Amino acid sequence: MADSGARKDHLTNALSGPAQEAVKGEPHSALDLDAGVHRQKAELEKRARELSILLRIAQMAASSLESSALAQAVLNEVIQAFDAEVGAIFVRDDETGFLRMLGDFGLSPGFVQAFQAIPFDHPNALPARVARTGESLLVEDTAYLSSAVLPEFRAELPRMGLIAPLRARNSIIGTLAIGRLSDHPFTAQDLSLLTIVGQLIGVAIENAYLFARTQQQVQELSFLVDLSARLNSAYGIEETAEIALEAACALVKATQGALFLLDASRQVLQLGAHYHLPAQTVKWLQSQRLPLTTGLFQQVAEQARLVEISDATTEPRCQYAPGRTLREACYLPLQTGSRVIGILELEARLQSERVRRILYTLGDMAAVAIERARLISTLQHYADGLEAQVAARTEDLQRALARAQEADRLKSVFLSTISHELRTPLAAIKGFASTLLQEDVEWDPTTQREFLSIIERESDQLERLISQLLDISRLEAGILNIEQVACSLSEIVQGVASRLKVIARAHELQVHIPLDLPLVYADRQRIGQVLSNLVENAAKYAPPHTAIVISASAVEDQVQVSVSDQGAGIPPELRERIFDRFFRADPRDGRPGTGLGLAICQGIVEAHGGRIWVEGKPGQGSVFVFTLPIAQGPNGRGEGN
């Protein structure tokens, strides 16, 4: 019995409240002592029940990180623990200013729908009042609230209830409300316990929200990192725009979308990418340059912010293309710094501020990527242009080097040839002069005359060679003297007729010049030199006894002169080079020449403002053609002798 009494005394000392005070003081009867023990036992059992409730709710609160499932599970446990029949958990939504129902018990779908969102500042809503004041509320009779409830829901209104704030980190995040449809009342102890439960649930729901936000942020970050990688790997403006548009449509769940690029200099928009647009609309947009004043584009560009239209009950506010009618849409400027470079048009309603924030980030990333693609395209264009210029310059240098090498070769050939050409007449002159000067030989007059004729002919040849060298030097120096006057081409031909006959003595020389041919503006001596060189060239390569023909005709404001022969002709691949200095088609054919005659002809003709070229087919002879300007009237430039 002593042990039993000791245990009883220990239990008594462990209790608190009025029962413990009753044990102290004056001695009581055995009946009073037993009553006190029973009260203490009841109180202890009540505390144990409360602790059990709190433990189960704490365990349940720690079992899930999904807010809706957590709220519903905890509410079910609270309803059972407090012998309640209906209940709801409300959580504050700071974005909208509402208390939103996160879990419910014993309420009809219609009731839940009607009270799904309660304005935080609602004067008659008890959950909102508790959320505002932070004070738990024991409602002993809800009859006075029936007038504020719709008639169809008055039967579901509990007779009495408890409402406690949900606290987390010294903030009220919502309320917990339970009720009974019967007349069985709640007590102040029930309210105190529910207040503690509200704190447990508040922390658990806040943790669930934090976890959800963390998961959401991880998903957002993953979305943006993936988008950044895709944008960085894109090649070209078109692919970059398509990636950005597809990501934006996926983010806001848009049914259609378009990305327009802005040409700031011309204030027009061009379609850069499209998403699920009708084919007719795409075709039309691709053929257009939309003025910035179209639709809402100018407002978006000037304000440089997101613009939304979401009134589905009114007429369309954006209708600018065939098949493109929008009632709900958002427009996002694509900006680099303060400069708008494009606009995203998405047919969707944005559901949250979070989506808007991500969309702004996406727009900034897309703008930077598009600008980078533009810069790369520009640099590539410049690089291609520079590469082409380098290639062209390299080709020019290679050609110049080839020409220089060829000129060097031709110069060597020319020096060899000119040495031979000069030595030949000099040898003849010296030889025959020495022969005539021999004192031991007496030459008859006929032989002397023949020797002197040879000396004269070779002297003339030597003079021609020296004249050619002087002329080519003057042409290169740009100091060839040209004295142009108005004259007749027939006069020029007559002036060199005797020389032409000597040159073409082995051929049939023909001259066909119309009597009504206009006067030409020319230097008689120099054009005579051109005719002599061309006839000499024809006589050198045309077979003997064949015709060499000089002809002329008026063509617009020029006289076109031609010298044709019946030789082998000049291959097409050599016709551009035939007028080069020192060039000879076949220097090994044994024909005399320096390769300067045609080059001199070209220089003289071009100095007159004309041009010279060669025609004909291989095997059918050559036709050398040059032009001279027609002399103007008596008061014009060609007035002359």
Side-chain angles (χ1 to χ4, degrees):
M1 291 295 292
D3 291 340
S4 177
R7 284 197 298 272
K8 186 179 293 184
D9 291 341
H10 179 73
L11 177 61
T12 301
N13 292 331
L15 296 175
S16 60
Q20 186 177 3
E21 295 297 329
V23 178
K24 299 178 180 179
E26 297 297 326
H28 294 276
S29 65
L31 184 60
D32 290 338
L33 183 60
D34 287 340
V37 171
H38 282 298
R39 285 195 300 273
Q40 293 170 11
K41 182 179 179 181
E43 184 69 23
L44 185 60
E45 289 176 349
K46 180 181 178 183
R47 296 294 177 88
R49 174 179 170 273
E50 292 176 352
L51 290 174
S52 176
I53 291 172
L54 293 175
L55 180 60
R56 291 199 308 272
I57 291 176
Q59 290 174 338
M60 192 168 293
S63 65
S64 175
L65 285 173
E66 201 286 307
S67 57
S68 297
L70 172 63
Q72 191 62 54
V74 170
L75 180 61
N76 294 345
E77 184 66 26
V78 171
I79 292 293
Q80 182 179 356
F82 284 82
D83 294 326
E85 297 166 281
V86 294
I89 289 180
F90 296 91
V91 176
R92 183 172 179 174
D93 184 347
D94 290 327
E95 283 191 17
T96 61
F98 282 86
L99 284 178
R100 296 195 178 275
M101 191 180 295
L102 191 61
D104 65 274
F105 186 92
L107 303 175
S108 68
F111 191 97
V112 171
Q113 180 66 31
F115 296 96
Q116 179 65 40
I118 301 174
F120 188 71
D121 57 356
H122 196 293
N124 297 322
L126 297 182
R129 183 198 303 178
V130 171
R132 291 195 302 271
T133 64
E135 297 179 359
S136 299
L137 186 62
L138 171 59
V139 184
E140 296 178 322
D141 186 1
T142 61
Y144 75 95
L145 295 173
S146 60
S147 61
V149 179
L150 296 175
E152 60 266 30
F153 301 125
R154 288 173 185 169
E156 299 185 48
L157 194 67
R159 298 291 300 276
M160 55 197 61
L162 296 174
I163 306 175
L166 302 181
R167 292 182 180 275
R169 298 173 181 84
N170 298 322
S171 298
I172 299 175
I173 67 167
T175 55
L176 167 61
I178 60 175
R180 290 173 179 163
L181 300 175
S182 64
D183 292 332
H184 181 55
F186 289 108
T187 65
Q189 288 79 7
D190 291 332
L191 184 62
S192 297
L193 181 59
L194 190 67
T195 301
I196 297 173
V197 170
Q199 292 178 349
L200 289 175
I201 297 175
V203 172
I205 291 177
E206 179 69 8
N207 288 339
Y209 274 127
L210 288 175
F211 178 76
R213 281 196 292 270
T214 301
Q215 291 293 98
Q216 196 175 68
Q217 289 170 355
V218 169
Q219 292 175 357
E220 293 172 6
L221 183 60
S222 176
F223 171 81
L224 294 174
V225 168
D226 176 68
L227 175 60
S228 176
R230 294 175 60 202
L231 290 173
N232 287 333
S233 63
Y235 182 81
I237 299 174
E238 183 177 348
E239 184 180 354
T240 303
E242 288 177 355
I243 291 173
L245 178 60
E246 288 178 4
C249 290
L251 174 66
V252 303
K253 297 179 175 56
T255 55
Q256 294 182 3
L259 189 152
F260 296 92
L261 298 176
L262 174 63
D263 184 340
S265 62
R266 294 186 291 175
Q267 294 293 291
V268 294
L269 293 163
Q270 180 180 0
L271 183 66
H274 55 88
Y275 179 81
H276 291 178
L277 294 183
Q280 178 186 6
T281 303
V282 173
K283 184 177 180 180
W284 187 86
L285 288 174
Q286 288 175 338
S287 65
Q288 301 296 314
R289 297 293 183 272
L290 298 177
L292 190 58
T293 54
T294 303
L296 300 176
F297 293 136
Q298 187 166 20
Q299 177 184 347
V300 176
E302 290 178 352
Q303 297 180 0
R305 64 173 181 84
L306 182 69
V307 175
E308 300 177 62
I309 57 173
S310 57
D311 190 355
T313 64
T314 61
E315 290 297 318
R317 294 180 62 189
C318 186
Q319 186 173 5
Y320 57 83
R324 188 71 173 146
T325 302
L326 302 179
R327 295 180 183 273
E328 291 186 347
C330 61
Y331 293 83
L332 178 72
L334 303 181
Q335 296 176 257
T336 55
S338 60
R339 187 166 60 93
V340 175
I341 67 164
I343 295 176
L344 267 176
E345 179 186 75
L346 307 171
E347 189 169 355
R349 176 182 290 187
L350 303 185
Q351 299 299 323
S352 67
E353 191 61 33
R354 178 188 68 87
V355 172
R356 292 182 180 87
R357 185 181 68 253
I358 300 174
L359 189 59
Y360 267 115
T361 303
L362 184 151
D364 292 340
M365 293 172 61
V368 171
I370 290 172
E371 278 294 272
R372 183 180 64 248
R374 279 179 170 171
L375 178 60
I376 291 174
S377 177
T378 301
L379 291 176
Q380 186 63 48
H381 175 73
Y382 284 138
D384 291 343
L386 182 60
E387 185 177 351
Q389 291 179 8
V390 170
R393 179 63 64 184
T394 301
E395 187 177 351
D396 290 343
L397 291 174
Q398 289 175 340
R399 285 198 297 265
L401 178 61
R403 287 196 298 269
Q405 292 173 340
E406 178 65 10
D408 187 64
R409 185 189 67 81
L410 292 175
K411 182 179 180 181
S412 299
V413 172
F414 166 74
L415 291 175
S416 175
T417 302
I418 200 64
S419 297
H420 173 74
E421 294 293 327
L422 290 173
R423 190 178 293 113
T424 299
L426 282 175
I429 293 171
K430 180 173 176 57
F432 283 104
S434 298
T435 300
L436 289 174
L437 291 175
Q438 289 181 3
E439 297 180 357
D440 56 341
V441 179
E442 185 73 28
W443 302 103
D444 59 80
T446 303
T447 301
Q448 289 180 4
R449 184 174 183 82
E450 180 182 355
F451 287 175
L452 290 173
S453 297
I454 293 173
I455 290 173
E456 182 182 25
R457 186 172 64 250
E458 295 300 327
S459 298
D460 292 340
Q461 176 64 16
L462 184 60
E463 182 184 6
R464 283 196 299 273
L465 289 174
I466 294 173
S467 296
Q468 285 184 343
L469 292 174
L470 291 174
D471 287 342
I472 202 69
S473 298
R474 293 189 185 105
L475 285 171
E476 288 182 348
I479 58 173
L480 183 68
N481 186 31
I482 300 292
E483 296 181 358
Q484 291 178 262
V485 296
C487 57
S488 166
L489 184 62
S490 297
E491 294 177 359
I492 295 175
V493 174
Q494 288 298 325
V496 293
S498 58
R499 189 194 312 169
L500 296 179
K501 289 179 181 179
V502 172
I503 294 172
R505 56 183 176 272
H507 296 77
E508 180 184 348
L509 182 64
Q510 300 178 9
V511 179
H512 301 296
I513 299 177
L515 296 176
D516 58 349
L517 189 70
L519 299 179
V520 295
Y521 189 59
D523 184 316
R524 292 188 181 93
Q525 179 181 355
R526 292 298 183 184
I527 296 304
Q529 183 180 354
V530 170
L531 289 172
S532 299
N533 286 353
L534 293 178
V535 171
E536 182 178 6
N537 187 75
K540 188 185 299 182
Y541 292 98
H545 311 300
T546 58
I548 297 175
V549 181
I550 300 174
S551 58
S553 61
V555 179
E556 296 180 353
D557 60 344
Q558 295 179 326
V559 168
Q560 191 167 287
V561 184
S562 62
V563 177
S564 60
D565 61 54
Q566 298 177 10
I570 299 172
E573 64 272 14
L574 298 180
R575 290 179 183 174
E576 290 186 4
R577 301 187 58 197
I578 199 71
F579 296 99
D580 290 349
R581 291 170 301 157
F582 316 132
F583 180 80
R584 300 183 65 191
D586 187 2
R588 298 168 299 179
D589 60 6
R591 293 184 177 90
T594 61
L596 294 177
L598 293 179
I600 293 172
C601 290
Q602 184 183 49
I604 293 173
V605 169
E606 290 179 352
H608 279 73
R611 62 189 188 94
I612 186 169
W613 67 94
V614 62
E615 299 175 352
K617 297 180 180 180
Q620 298 182 10
S622 299
V623 180
F624 284 85
V625 185
F626 66 93
T627 60
L628 294 172
I630 292 177
Q632 295 180 359
N635 296 322
R637 67 176 184 179
E639 183 177 1
N641 307 338

